[in-house]
Amino acid sequence: MLDTAHRLRLTLPATRASVDAARIAVLEYLAPSRPTPRTIFDVELVLEEVLMNVVLHGGAGSDDADRSMDLVVESTPDAVRMVFADRGIAFDPTTAAAHARPATLSDAVPGGLGIDLVRKRSRSLAYARKDDCNVLTVEIAR
Amino acid sequence: MELELTERDGPITCARLTGRLDTAGADRIGLQMTAGVVATARPAIVDLSGVSFISSMGIRLLLSCAKGLKGKGQTMAIFGAQPAVQEVFEQSGLEEILDIVPDEPHALARIA
């Protein structure tokens, strides 16, 4: 749904199925502005990593349809701005420790890469805890 | 996400992935890939030339398979990653330990 400022607003259950639904809606919203393949890849990667982090780690359950995630997407001439909000466990990805790079395959632990990828793919990343909500704003350069 | 498993002389396992290796894709092929690559306990090569997108959940599946095979004394090499996918590997810091090489001849040499 578009608001009066032509931003895309989505409210989704905190489930794995929501991630693909969000991706499709965001790509449809961005299509008229003709994003580059690189921008599309970055947007898709950030969407998946942030939303899956909420799904997997934001609540007591691993896939909790009773929780919801809000997403607002704004397309500007030089960036795509995405604001994620959820009422899950407080988590600030801007200060979370970077994933330790393993030296060998035996040392490698599956998981924990998502936030690192969000940092590397975004132009800016800002976090606030407001009214018991995690609010994460991510800007992707066009 | 599609997964095609074939057996080559050696014997080795060849896994050819096509589509998006994101959460949905990894969920779709995870069991089949683990059974076809890890459980057979043979050296394996993984063709990513048909993969247009990868996320941390996709990397997690590849890492789990590589670790599983290593636990059985075997190796797995990944080849054919498109430039955008290759960049994600590089940014993940797992490029070297996952044995990611440019093409199939390099992959076969890596597991020999």
Side-chain angles (χ1 to χ4, degrees), chain A residues 16 20 23 38 41 44-45 48-49 52 56 101-106 108-111 113-114 117 120-121, chain B residues 20 22-23 27 52-57 59-60 63-64 66-67 70 84 87-88 91-94 97:
Chain A
R16 297 166 90 92
D20 212 40
R23 180 179 73 84
R38 169 68 189 220
F41 198 103
E44 289 184 316
L45 192 56
E48 160 130 356
E49 301 300 350
M52 278 305 296
L56 293 176
R101 293 195 169 202
T104 68
L105 185 56
S106 299
V109 178
L113 294 171
L117 291 174
K120 287 171 178 159
R121 292 295 176 136
Chain B
R20 295 173 55 83
D22 53 8
T23 297
D27 285 350
S52 59
F53 179 85
I54 192 165
S55 70
S56 65
M57 293 298 274
I59 294 174
R60 181 184 185 127
L63 183 59
S64 294
K67 281 180 70 88
K70 184 177 175 62
E87 187 177 356
V88 177
Q91 291 178 328
S92 75
L94 299 177
I97 66 168

Side-chain angles (χ1 to χ4, degrees), chain A residues 52-102:
Chain A
M52 278 305 296
N53 200 55
V54 174
V55 171
L56 293 176
H57 307 299
S62 61
D63 201 3
D64 187 351
D66 293 333
R67 288 187 295 119
S68 64
M69 313 180 283
D70 294 322
L71 172 62
V72 178
V73 185
E74 182 178 11
S75 177
T76 70
D78 70 337
V80 177
R81 182 179 301 114
M82 296 185 282
V83 181
F84 301 86
D86 71 275
R87 292 190 174 278
I89 297 164
F91 175 67
D92 180 357
T94 65
T95 58
H99 185 255
R101 293 195 169 202

Side-chain angles (χ1 to χ4, degrees), chain A residues 24 33 97 102 130 134:
Chain A
I24 291 166
S33 65
K130 293 180 183 171
N134 294 302

